[in-house]
């Protein structure tokens, strides 16, 4: 069965420190992986995706993610967190051979000043 | 920029009412999606449409139906609203092709409360 897991409900980090939001996946075939961010009372905004190529993917707002095939992970990272990064983050994987996405349960990132 | 709009940001309905949630996208996307978002459960797919008049059930279609009469518009219908359908409803669209490599574009969401 295809699935995506976000093992942490919440991640707390101090402003200026590096942040990591974890995501692991289980899929058939080649994984297409996505990160989205949701600010309060808003829809989801696309951050970045991995389809093929370089394992390190750069996205919006200074975020990046590293695809690790052996660990079946796609962790979201940022070198220096901002208070404005506080939001709900979703990892998603394409369902095999379709245009549908399977979403994780989300991780709330709280950046403290 | 792709724009996906939803007819209401907040909606309050009574049990048993028929509820229509409307979604419109302006980028000529073939694919449109309806999700519900609940705390701790993430986003769950209710229905998916890959073309006009074409639809496919998602993971939780029970109690819902959809309509896609025009390419830009995808409606979610709650035939008889129940309190367990209180949730945030998100609409999304994406272009087809590349076997799912395209990201989805989301509307702002409709927070539905059923009393």
């Amino acid at each position: 069965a295809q699935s995506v897991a976000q093992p942490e409900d919440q991640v707390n980090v101090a402003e200026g420190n590096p942040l990591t939001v974890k995501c692991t996946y289980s899929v058939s075939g080649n994984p297409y992986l996505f990160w989205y961010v949701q600010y309060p009372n808003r829809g989801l905004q696309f951050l970045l995706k991995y389809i093929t190529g370089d394992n390190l993917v750069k996205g919006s707002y200074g975020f990046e993610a590293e695809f690790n095939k052996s660990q079946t992970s796609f962790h979201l990272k940022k070198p220096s967190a901002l208070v404005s990064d506080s939001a709900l983050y979703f990892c998603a994987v394409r369902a095999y051979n379709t245009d549908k996405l399977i979403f994780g349960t989300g991780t709330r990132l709280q950046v403290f000043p | 920029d792709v724009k996906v709009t939803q007819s209401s940001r907040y909606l309050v309905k009574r049990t048993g009412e028929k509820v229509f949630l409307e979604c419109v996208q302006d980028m000529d996307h073939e694919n449109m999606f309806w999700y519900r978002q609940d705390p701790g459960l993430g986003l769950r797919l209710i229905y998916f449409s890959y073309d006009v008049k074409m639809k496919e059930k998602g993971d939780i279609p029970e109690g819902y139906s959809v309509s896609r009469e025009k390419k830009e518009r995808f409606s979610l219908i709650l035939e008889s609203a129940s309190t367990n359908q209180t949730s945030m409803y998100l609409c999304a669209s994406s272009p087809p092709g590349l076997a799912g490599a395209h990201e989805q574009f989301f509307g702002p969401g409709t927070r539905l409360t059923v009393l």
Side-chain angles (χ1 to χ4, degrees), chain A residues 1-9 21-27 32-38 42-49 74 88-96 98-107, chain B residues 32-48 58-60 88-94 100 102-107:
Chain A
Q2 298 169 95
S3 63
V4 59
Q6 294 181 243
E8 301 155 318
D9 290 335
V21 182
K22 295 180 180 177
C23 173
T24 59
Y25 65 89
S26 173
V27 295
Y32 292 178
L33 296 154
F34 301 79
W35 275 103
Y36 287 84
V37 61
Q38 185 180 36
R42 303 285 294 276
L44 274 65
Q45 295 178 32
F46 169 74
L47 277 178
L48 50 80
K49 65 182 177 184
F74 188 56
L88 189 56
Y89 290 81
F90 288 97
C91 181
V93 65
R94 179 203 59 156
Y96 178 69
T98 76
D99 287 335
K100 294 185 283 187
L101 294 178
I102 300 168
F103 284 86
T105 52
T107 298
Chain B
M32 295 189 76
F33 308 82
W34 274 108
Y35 297 90
R36 63 176 284 174
Q37 179 183 3
D38 300 288
L41 297 178
L43 273 70
R44 293 178 292 168
L45 181 65
I46 304 172
Y47 267 98
F48 163 49
D59 300 318
I60 51 164
M88 170 73 102
Y89 290 87
L90 293 166
C91 176
S93 72
S94 74
H102 292 295
E103 61 268 29
Q104 294 180 11
F105 297 86
F106 283 81

Coordinates of all heavy atoms in Angstrom, one line a residue, chain A residues 1-9 21-27 32-38 42-49 74 88-96 98-107, chain B residues 32-48 58-60 88-94 100 102-107:
Chain A
A1 N 0.9 -1.2 0.0 CA 0.0 0.0 0.0 C 0.9 1.2 0.0 O 2.0 1.3 0.6 CB -0.9 0.0 1.2
Q2 N 0.4 2.2 -0.7 CA 1.2 3.5 -0.8 C 0.8 4.4 0.4 O -0.4 4.5 0.7 CB 0.9 4.2 -2.1 CG 1.3 3.3 -3.3 CD 0.8 3.8 -4.6 OE1 1.5 4.5 -5.2 NE2 -0.4 3.5 -4.9
S3 N 1.8 5.0 1.0 CA 1.5 5.9 2.1 C 2.6 6.8 2.3 O 3.7 6.7 1.8 CB 1.3 5.0 3.4 OG 2.5 4.3 3.7
V4 N 2.3 7.8 3.1 CA 3.3 8.8 3.5 C 3.1 9.1 5.0 O 2.0 9.2 5.5 CB 3.3 10.1 2.7 CG1 1.9 10.7 2.8 CG2 4.4 11.0 3.0
A5 N 4.3 9.2 5.7 CA 4.2 9.4 7.2 C 5.0 10.6 7.6 O 6.1 10.8 7.1 CB 4.8 8.1 7.9
Q6 N 4.4 11.4 8.5 CA 5.0 12.5 9.1 C 5.0 12.2 10.6 O 4.0 12.3 11.2 CB 4.3 13.8 8.8 CG 4.4 14.2 7.3 CD 3.7 15.5 7.0 OE1 2.7 15.5 6.3 NE2 4.2 16.6 7.5
P7 N 6.2 11.7 11.1 CA 6.2 11.1 12.4 C 6.0 12.1 13.6 O 5.7 11.7 14.7 CB 7.6 10.5 12.5 CG 8.4 11.2 11.5 CD 7.5 11.6 10.4
E8 N 6.2 13.4 13.3 CA 6.1 14.4 14.3 C 4.9 15.3 14.1 O 4.7 15.9 13.1 CB 7.4 15.3 14.3 CG 8.7 14.6 14.5 CD 9.8 15.3 13.9 OE1 9.7 15.8 12.8 OE2 10.9 15.3 14.5
D9 N 4.0 15.4 15.2 CA 2.9 16.3 15.1 C 3.3 17.7 15.1 O 2.7 18.6 14.5 CB 1.9 16.0 16.2 CG 1.2 14.6 16.1 OD1 1.1 14.1 14.9 OD2 0.8 14.1 17.1
V21 N 11.7 19.1 9.0 CA 10.4 18.4 9.2 C 10.5 17.1 8.4 O 10.8 17.1 7.2 CB 9.3 19.3 8.6 CG1 8.0 18.7 8.8 CG2 9.4 20.7 9.3
K22 N 10.2 16.0 9.1 CA 10.5 14.7 8.5 C 9.3 14.1 7.8 O 8.1 14.4 8.1 CB 10.8 13.7 9.7 CG 12.1 14.1 10.4 CD 12.4 13.1 11.5 CE 13.7 13.5 12.2 NZ 14.0 12.6 13.3
C23 N 9.6 13.3 6.7 CA 8.6 12.7 5.9 C 9.2 11.4 5.4 O 10.4 11.4 4.9 CB 8.2 13.5 4.8 SG 7.1 12.8 3.5
T24 N 8.5 10.3 5.6 CA 8.9 9.0 4.9 C 7.8 8.5 4.1 O 6.6 8.9 4.3 CB 9.3 8.0 6.0 OG1 8.2 7.7 6.9 CG2 10.5 8.4 6.8
Y25 N 8.1 7.7 3.1 CA 7.1 7.3 2.2 C 7.2 5.8 1.8 O 8.2 5.2 2.1 CB 7.2 8.1 0.9 CG 8.5 7.8 0.1 CD1 8.6 6.8 -0.8 CD2 9.6 8.6 0.4 CE1 9.8 6.6 -1.4 CE2 10.8 8.3 -0.2 CZ 10.9 7.3 -1.1 OH 12.1 7.1 -1.8
S26 N 6.1 5.3 1.3 CA 6.1 3.9 0.8 C 5.2 3.9 -0.5 O 4.0 4.3 -0.4 CB 5.5 3.0 1.8 OG 5.3 1.7 1.3
V27 N 5.9 3.6 -1.6 CA 5.2 3.7 -2.9 C 5.6 2.6 -3.8 O 6.7 2.0 -3.6 CB 5.5 5.0 -3.7 CG1 4.9 6.2 -2.9 CG2 6.9 5.2 -4.0
Y32 N 7.1 10.3 -6.7 CA 7.0 11.7 -6.9 C 6.6 12.3 -5.6 O 5.5 12.0 -5.1 CB 6.0 12.1 -8.0 CG 6.3 11.6 -9.4 CD1 5.4 11.8 -10.4 CD2 7.5 11.0 -9.7 CE1 5.7 11.4 -11.7 CE2 7.8 10.6 -11.0 CZ 6.9 10.8 -12.0 OH 7.2 10.4 -13.3
L33 N 7.4 13.2 -5.0 CA 7.2 13.7 -3.7 C 7.0 15.2 -3.7 O 7.7 15.9 -4.4 CB 8.4 13.3 -2.8 CG 8.6 11.8 -2.7 CD1 10.0 11.4 -2.4 CD2 7.7 11.3 -1.6
F34 N 6.2 15.7 -2.8 CA 5.8 17.1 -2.7 C 5.8 17.6 -1.2 O 5.5 16.8 -0.3 CB 4.4 17.3 -3.3 CG 4.2 16.9 -4.7 CD1 4.1 15.5 -5.0 CD2 4.2 17.8 -5.7 CE1 3.9 15.1 -6.4 CE2 4.1 17.4 -7.1 CZ 3.9 16.1 -7.4
W35 N 6.1 18.9 -1.1 CA 5.8 19.5 0.2 C 4.9 20.7 0.0 O 5.1 21.5 -1.0 CB 7.1 20.0 0.8 CG 7.9 19.0 1.6 CD1 9.0 18.2 1.3 CD2 7.5 18.6 3.0 NE1 9.3 17.4 2.3 CE2 8.4 17.6 3.4 CE3 6.5 18.9 3.9 CZ2 8.4 17.0 4.6 CZ3 6.5 18.3 5.1 CH2 7.4 17.3 5.5
Y36 N 4.0 20.9 0.9 CA 3.1 22.0 0.9 C 3.1 22.7 2.3 O 3.3 22.0 3.3 CB 1.6 21.6 0.6 CG 1.4 21.2 -0.8 CD1 1.7 19.9 -1.3 CD2 0.8 22.1 -1.7 CE1 1.4 19.5 -2.6 CE2 0.6 21.7 -3.1 CZ 0.9 20.4 -3.5 OH 0.6 20.0 -4.8
V37 N 2.7 24.0 2.3 CA 2.6 24.7 3.6 C 1.2 25.3 3.6 O 0.7 25.7 2.6 CB 3.7 25.8 3.7 CG1 3.6 26.8 2.6 CG2 3.6 26.5 5.1
Q38 N 0.7 25.3 4.9 CA -0.6 25.9 5.1 C -0.5 26.9 6.2 O -0.2 26.5 7.4 CB -1.7 24.8 5.4 CG -3.1 25.4 5.5 CD -4.1 24.3 5.8 OE1 -3.8 23.4 6.6 NE2 -5.3 24.4 5.3
R42 N -6.0 29.3 5.6 CA -5.6 29.4 4.2 C -5.6 28.0 3.6 O -5.6 27.0 4.2 CB -4.3 30.1 4.0 CG -4.1 31.4 4.7 CD -4.9 32.5 3.9 NE -4.2 32.7 2.6 CZ -3.2 33.5 2.4 NH1 -2.7 34.2 3.4 NH2 -2.7 33.7 1.2
G43 N -5.6 28.0 2.2 CA -5.4 26.8 1.5 C -3.9 26.4 1.5 O -3.1 27.1 2.1
L44 N -3.6 25.3 0.9 CA -2.2 24.8 0.8 C -1.4 25.5 -0.3 O -2.0 25.8 -1.4 CB -2.2 23.3 0.6 CG -2.3 22.4 1.8 CD1 -3.6 22.5 2.5 CD2 -2.0 20.9 1.4
Q45 N -0.2 25.8 0.0 CA 0.7 26.4 -1.0 C 1.8 25.5 -1.3 O 2.4 24.9 -0.4 CB 1.3 27.7 -0.5 CG 0.3 28.8 -0.2 CD 1.0 30.1 0.3 OE1 2.1 30.3 0.0 NE2 0.3 30.8 1.2
F46 N 2.1 25.3 -2.5 CA 3.2 24.4 -3.0 C 4.5 25.0 -2.6 O 4.8 26.2 -2.8 CB 3.1 24.2 -4.5 CG 4.2 23.5 -5.1 CD1 4.4 22.2 -5.0 CD2 5.1 24.3 -5.9 CE1 5.5 21.6 -5.6 CE2 6.2 23.7 -6.5 CZ 6.4 22.3 -6.4
L47 N 5.4 24.1 -2.0 CA 6.8 24.6 -1.7 C 7.8 24.0 -2.7 O 8.6 24.8 -3.2 CB 7.1 24.1 -0.3 CG 6.7 24.9 0.9 CD1 7.1 24.2 2.2 CD2 7.2 26.3 0.8
L48 N 7.8 22.7 -2.9 CA 8.8 22.1 -3.8 C 8.4 20.6 -4.1 O 7.4 20.1 -3.4 CB 10.2 22.1 -3.1 CG 10.3 21.6 -1.7 CD1 10.3 20.1 -1.6 CD2 11.5 22.2 -1.0
K49 N 9.1 20.1 -5.0 CA 8.8 18.7 -5.4 C 10.0 18.0 -5.9 O 11.0 18.6 -6.4 CB 7.7 18.6 -6.5 CG 8.1 19.2 -7.8 CD 6.9 19.2 -8.8 CE 7.3 19.9 -10.1 NZ 6.2 19.9 -11.1
F74 N 12.0 12.0 2.6 CA 12.1 13.3 1.9 C 11.9 14.4 2.9 O 10.8 15.0 3.0 CB 10.9 13.3 0.9 CG 11.0 14.4 -0.1 CD1 12.1 14.7 -0.9 CD2 9.8 15.2 -0.3 CE1 12.1 15.7 -1.8 CE2 9.8 16.3 -1.2 CZ 11.0 16.5 -2.0
L88 N 1.6 25.0 9.2 CA 1.3 23.5 9.1 C 1.9 23.0 7.8 O 1.7 23.6 6.7 CB -0.2 23.2 9.1 CG -0.7 21.8 9.3 CD1 -0.1 21.1 10.5 CD2 -2.2 21.8 9.3
Y89 N 2.8 22.0 7.8 CA 3.5 21.5 6.7 C 3.0 20.1 6.3 O 2.9 19.2 7.2 CB 5.0 21.5 6.9 CG 5.5 22.9 7.0 CD1 5.4 23.6 8.1 CD2 6.1 23.5 5.8 CE1 5.9 25.0 8.2 CE2 6.6 24.8 5.9 CZ 6.5 25.5 7.0 OH 6.9 26.8 7.1
F90 N 2.7 19.9 5.0 CA 2.2 18.6 4.6 C 3.2 18.0 3.5 O 3.6 18.7 2.6 CB 0.9 18.7 3.9 CG -0.3 18.9 4.9 CD1 -0.7 20.2 5.1 CD2 -0.8 17.9 5.6 CE1 -1.8 20.5 6.0 CE2 -1.9 18.1 6.4 CZ -2.3 19.4 6.6
C91 N 3.5 16.7 3.7 CA 4.3 16.0 2.7 C 3.2 15.2 1.9 O 2.2 14.7 2.5 CB 5.2 15.1 3.4 SG 6.3 14.0 2.4
A92 N 3.5 15.0 0.6 CA 2.6 14.2 -0.2 C 3.4 13.4 -1.2 O 4.5 13.7 -1.6 CB 1.6 15.1 -0.9
V93 N 2.8 12.2 -1.6 CA 3.4 11.4 -2.6 C 2.3 11.1 -3.7 O 1.1 10.9 -3.4 CB 3.9 10.1 -2.0 CG1 2.8 9.2 -1.4 CG2 4.8 9.3 -3.0
R94 N 2.8 11.0 -4.9 CA 1.8 10.6 -6.0 C 1.4 9.2 -5.8 O 2.2 8.3 -5.6 CB 2.5 10.8 -7.3 CG 1.6 10.5 -8.5 CD 2.5 10.2 -9.7 NE 3.4 9.1 -9.5 CZ 3.8 8.3 -10.4 NH1 3.5 8.5 -11.7 NH2 4.7 7.3 -10.2
A95 N 0.1 9.0 -5.9 CA -0.4 7.6 -6.0 C 0.0 7.0 -7.3 O -0.1 7.6 -8.4 CB -1.9 7.6 -5.8
Y96 N 0.4 5.7 -7.3 CA 1.0 5.1 -8.4 C 0.2 5.3 -9.7 O -0.9 5.0 -9.8 CB 1.2 3.6 -8.2 CG 1.8 2.8 -9.3 CD1 3.1 3.1 -9.7 CD2 1.1 1.9 -10.0 CE1 3.7 2.4 -10.8 CE2 1.6 1.2 -11.1 CZ 2.9 1.5 -11.5 OH 3.5 0.8 -12.5
T98 N -1.1 7.7 -11.3 CA -2.3 8.6 -11.3 C -1.9 10.0 -11.1 O -0.7 10.3 -10.8 CB -3.3 8.2 -10.2 OG1 -2.8 8.7 -9.0 CG2 -3.6 6.7 -10.1
D99 N -2.8 10.9 -11.2 CA -2.6 12.3 -10.9 C -3.0 12.6 -9.4 O -3.0 13.8 -9.0 CB -3.3 13.2 -11.8 CG -2.7 13.2 -13.2 OD1 -1.5 12.9 -13.3 OD2 -3.5 13.5 -14.2
K100 N -3.3 11.6 -8.7 CA -3.8 11.9 -7.3 C -2.6 11.9 -6.3 O -1.6 11.2 -6.6 CB -4.8 10.8 -6.9 CG -6.1 10.8 -7.7 CD -7.1 9.8 -7.2 CE -6.7 8.4 -7.6 NZ -7.8 7.5 -7.3
L101 N -2.7 12.6 -5.3 CA -1.7 12.7 -4.2 C -2.2 12.1 -2.9 O -3.4 12.1 -2.6 CB -1.3 14.1 -3.9 CG -0.6 14.9 -5.0 CD1 -0.4 16.4 -4.6 CD2 0.7 14.2 -5.4
I102 N -1.3 11.4 -2.2 CA -1.6 10.9 -0.9 C -0.9 11.8 0.1 O 0.4 12.0 0.0 CB -1.1 9.5 -0.7 CG1 -1.8 8.6 -1.8 CG2 -1.4 9.0 0.7 CD1 -1.2 7.2 -1.9
F103 N -1.6 12.4 1.0 CA -1.0 13.4 2.0 C -0.7 12.7 3.3 O -1.4 11.8 3.8 CB -2.0 14.5 2.2 CG -2.0 15.5 1.0 CD1 -2.8 15.3 -0.1 CD2 -1.2 16.6 1.0 CE1 -2.9 16.2 -1.1 CE2 -1.2 17.5 0.0 CZ -2.0 17.3 -1.1
G104 N 0.3 13.3 3.9 CA 0.6 12.9 5.3 C -0.3 13.7 6.2 O -1.2 14.5 5.8
T105 N -0.2 13.4 7.5 CA -1.1 14.0 8.5 C -0.8 15.4 8.9 O -1.5 16.1 9.6 CB -1.2 13.1 9.8 OG1 0.1 12.9 10.2 CG2 -1.9 11.8 9.5
G106 N 0.4 15.9 8.4 CA 0.8 17.2 8.7 C 1.7 17.4 10.0 O 1.6 16.6 10.9
T107 N 2.6 18.3 9.9 CA 3.4 18.7 11.0 C 3.4 20.2 11.3 O 3.6 21.0 10.4 CB 4.9 18.3 10.8 OG1 5.0 16.9 10.6 CG2 5.8 18.7 11.9
Chain B
M32 N -9.4 18.2 -11.3 CA -9.9 18.9 -10.1 C -10.2 17.9 -9.0 O -10.6 16.8 -9.3 CB -11.1 19.8 -10.5 CG -10.8 20.9 -11.5 SD -12.1 22.1 -11.7 CE -12.0 23.1 -10.2
F33 N -10.0 18.4 -7.8 CA -10.1 17.5 -6.6 C -10.9 18.2 -5.5 O -10.8 19.4 -5.3 CB -8.7 17.3 -6.1 CG -7.7 16.8 -7.1 CD1 -7.0 17.7 -7.9 CD2 -7.4 15.4 -7.2 CE1 -6.1 17.2 -8.9 CE2 -6.4 15.0 -8.1 CZ -5.8 15.9 -9.0
W34 N -11.5 17.4 -4.7 CA -12.1 17.8 -3.5 C -11.5 17.0 -2.3 O -11.6 15.8 -2.4 CB -13.6 17.7 -3.5 CG -14.4 18.8 -4.0 CD1 -15.0 18.9 -5.2 CD2 -14.5 20.1 -3.4 NE1 -15.6 20.2 -5.4 CE2 -15.3 20.9 -4.3 CE3 -14.1 20.7 -2.2 CZ2 -15.6 22.3 -4.0 CZ3 -14.4 22.0 -2.0 CH2 -15.2 22.8 -2.9
Y35 N -11.1 17.7 -1.3 CA -10.5 17.1 -0.1 C -11.3 17.6 1.1 O -11.8 18.7 1.1 CB -9.0 17.5 0.1 CG -8.1 17.0 -0.9 CD1 -7.8 17.8 -2.0 CD2 -7.4 15.8 -0.8 CE1 -6.8 17.5 -3.0 CE2 -6.5 15.4 -1.8 CZ -6.2 16.2 -2.8 OH -5.3 15.8 -3.8
R36 N -11.2 16.8 2.2 CA -11.6 17.4 3.5 C -10.4 17.3 4.4 O -9.6 16.3 4.3 CB -12.8 16.7 4.1 CG -12.8 15.3 4.4 CD -14.0 14.8 5.1 NE -14.1 15.2 6.5 CZ -15.2 15.1 7.3 NH1 -16.3 14.5 6.9 NH2 -15.1 15.4 8.6
Q37 N -10.2 18.3 5.2 CA -9.1 18.3 6.1 C -9.6 18.3 7.6 O -10.4 19.2 8.0 CB -8.3 19.6 5.9 CG -7.1 19.7 6.8 CD -6.3 21.0 6.6 OE1 -6.7 21.9 5.8 NE2 -5.2 21.2 7.3
D38 N -9.1 17.4 8.3 CA -9.5 17.2 9.7 C -8.2 17.1 10.6 O -7.2 16.4 10.1 CB -10.4 16.0 10.0 CG -11.7 16.1 9.2 OD1 -12.5 17.0 9.5 OD2 -11.8 15.4 8.2
P39 N -8.2 17.7 11.7 CA -6.9 17.6 12.6 C -6.5 16.2 12.8 O -7.3 15.3 13.2 CB -7.4 18.3 13.9 CG -8.5 19.2 13.5 CD -9.2 18.5 12.4
G40 N -5.2 16.0 12.7 CA -4.7 14.6 12.9 C -4.9 13.6 11.8 O -4.3 12.5 11.8
L41 N -5.7 14.0 10.8 CA -6.0 13.1 9.7 C -5.4 13.6 8.4 O -5.5 12.9 7.4 CB -7.5 12.9 9.5 CG -8.2 12.2 10.7 CD1 -9.7 12.1 10.5 CD2 -7.6 10.8 11.0
G42 N -4.9 14.8 8.3 CA -4.4 15.4 7.1 C -5.5 15.6 6.1 O -6.7 15.9 6.5
L43 N -5.1 15.6 4.8 CA -6.1 15.7 3.7 C -6.5 14.4 3.2 O -5.7 13.5 3.0 CB -5.5 16.5 2.6 CG -5.5 18.0 2.7 CD1 -4.6 18.5 3.7 CD2 -5.1 18.6 1.3
R44 N -7.8 14.2 3.1 CA -8.4 13.0 2.5 C -9.2 13.3 1.3 O -10.0 14.2 1.3 CB -9.2 12.3 3.6 CG -8.4 11.7 4.8 CD -9.3 11.1 5.8 NE -10.2 12.0 6.4 CZ -11.3 11.7 7.2 NH1 -11.6 10.4 7.3 NH2 -12.0 12.6 7.8
L45 N -8.9 12.5 0.2 CA -9.6 12.8 -1.1 C -11.0 12.3 -1.1 O -11.3 11.1 -0.8 CB -8.8 12.1 -2.2 CG -9.3 12.3 -3.6 CD1 -9.2 13.8 -4.0 CD2 -8.5 11.5 -4.6
I46 N -11.9 13.2 -1.4 CA -13.3 12.8 -1.5 C -13.7 12.4 -2.9 O -14.2 11.3 -3.1 CB -14.3 14.0 -1.1 CG1 -13.9 14.5 0.3 CG2 -15.7 13.6 -1.1 CD1 -14.6 15.8 0.7
Y47 N -13.4 13.2 -3.9 CA -13.7 12.9 -5.3 C -12.6 13.6 -6.1 O -12.0 14.6 -5.8 CB -15.0 13.4 -5.7 CG -16.2 12.4 -5.6 CD1 -17.0 12.4 -4.5 CD2 -16.4 11.5 -6.6 CE1 -18.0 11.5 -4.4 CE2 -17.4 10.6 -6.6 CZ -18.2 10.6 -5.4 OH -19.3 9.7 -5.3
F48 N -12.4 13.1 -7.3 CA -11.5 13.5 -8.3 C -12.2 13.6 -9.6 O -12.9 12.7 -10.0 CB -10.3 12.6 -8.3 CG -9.4 12.6 -9.5 CD1 -8.9 13.8 -9.9 CD2 -9.0 11.4 -10.1 CE1 -8.0 13.8 -11.0 CE2 -8.1 11.5 -11.2 CZ -7.6 12.7 -11.6
G58 N -12.8 9.1 -4.4 CA -11.6 9.1 -3.7 C -11.7 8.1 -2.5 O -12.4 7.1 -2.6
D59 N -11.0 8.5 -1.4 CA -11.0 7.6 -0.3 C -12.2 7.6 0.6 O -12.5 6.7 1.3 CB -9.7 7.9 0.6 CG -8.5 7.8 -0.2 OD1 -8.3 6.8 -1.0 OD2 -7.6 8.7 -0.1
I60 N -12.9 8.8 0.6 CA -14.1 8.9 1.5 C -15.3 9.5 0.8 O -15.7 10.6 1.2 CB -13.7 9.8 2.8 CG1 -13.0 11.1 2.4 CG2 -12.8 9.0 3.7 CD1 -13.0 12.1 3.5
M88 N -13.1 21.3 7.2 CA -12.5 22.2 6.2 C -12.5 21.4 4.9 O -12.0 20.3 4.8 CB -11.1 22.6 6.6 CG -10.4 23.4 5.5 SD -11.0 25.1 5.3 CE -9.8 26.0 6.2
Y89 N -13.1 22.1 3.9 CA -13.1 21.5 2.6 C -12.2 22.3 1.6 O -12.3 23.5 1.5 CB -14.5 21.4 2.0 CG -15.4 20.4 2.8 CD1 -16.0 20.8 3.9 CD2 -15.5 19.1 2.3 CE1 -16.8 19.9 4.6 CE2 -16.2 18.2 3.0 CZ -16.9 18.6 4.2 OH -17.6 17.6 4.9
L90 N -11.3 21.6 1.0 CA -10.3 22.2 0.1 C -10.5 21.6 -1.3 O -10.6 20.4 -1.5 CB -8.9 21.9 0.6 CG -8.5 22.5 1.9 CD1 -7.2 21.8 2.4 CD2 -8.3 24.0 1.7
C91 N -10.5 22.6 -2.3 CA -10.6 22.2 -3.7 C -9.2 22.5 -4.3 O -8.4 23.4 -3.8 CB -11.6 23.1 -4.4 SG -11.7 22.9 -6.2
A92 N -8.8 21.7 -5.3 CA -7.5 21.8 -5.9 C -7.7 21.5 -7.4 O -8.6 20.8 -7.8 CB -6.5 20.9 -5.3
S93 N -6.7 22.0 -8.2 CA -6.7 21.6 -9.6 C -5.3 21.4 -10.0 O -4.3 21.9 -9.4 CB -7.3 22.8 -10.5 OG -6.5 23.9 -10.5
S94 N -5.1 20.7 -11.1 CA -3.8 20.5 -11.7 C -3.9 20.1 -13.2 O -5.0 19.6 -13.6 CB -3.0 19.3 -11.0 OG -3.6 18.1 -11.3
G100 N 1.4 12.6 -13.1 CA 1.3 13.0 -11.7 C 2.5 13.9 -11.3 O 2.7 14.2 -10.1
H102 N 2.9 17.0 -11.9 CA 2.5 18.4 -11.7 C 2.0 18.6 -10.3 O 1.3 17.7 -9.8 CB 1.3 18.8 -12.7 CG 1.8 18.9 -14.1 ND1 2.7 19.8 -14.5 CD2 1.4 18.1 -15.2 CE1 2.9 19.6 -15.8 NE2 2.1 18.6 -16.2
E103 N 2.3 19.7 -9.7 CA 1.7 20.0 -8.4 C 0.3 20.4 -8.5 O -0.2 20.8 -9.6 CB 2.5 21.1 -7.7 CG 2.5 22.5 -8.4 CD 3.7 22.6 -9.3 OE1 4.2 21.6 -9.9 OE2 4.1 23.8 -9.6
Q104 N -0.4 20.3 -7.4 CA -1.8 20.8 -7.4 C -1.9 22.2 -6.8 O -1.1 22.5 -5.9 CB -2.7 19.8 -6.5 CG -2.8 18.4 -7.1 CD -3.6 17.5 -6.3 OE1 -4.3 17.8 -5.3 NE2 -3.5 16.2 -6.6
F105 N -2.9 22.9 -7.3 CA -3.1 24.3 -6.8 C -4.4 24.3 -6.0 O -5.4 23.9 -6.5 CB -3.2 25.2 -8.0 CG -1.9 25.3 -8.8 CD1 -1.6 24.4 -9.8 CD2 -0.9 26.2 -8.6 CE1 -0.5 24.4 -10.5 CE2 0.2 26.3 -9.3 CZ 0.5 25.4 -10.3
F106 N -4.3 24.9 -4.8 CA -5.4 24.8 -3.9 C -6.1 26.1 -3.8 O -5.6 27.2 -3.8 CB -4.9 24.4 -2.5 CG -4.6 23.0 -2.4 CD1 -3.4 22.4 -2.8 CD2 -5.5 22.1 -1.8 CE1 -3.1 21.1 -2.8 CE2 -5.2 20.7 -1.7 CZ -4.0 20.2 -2.2
G107 N -7.4 26.0 -3.5 CA -8.2 27.1 -3.1 C -8.1 27.5 -1.6 O -7.4 26.7 -0.9

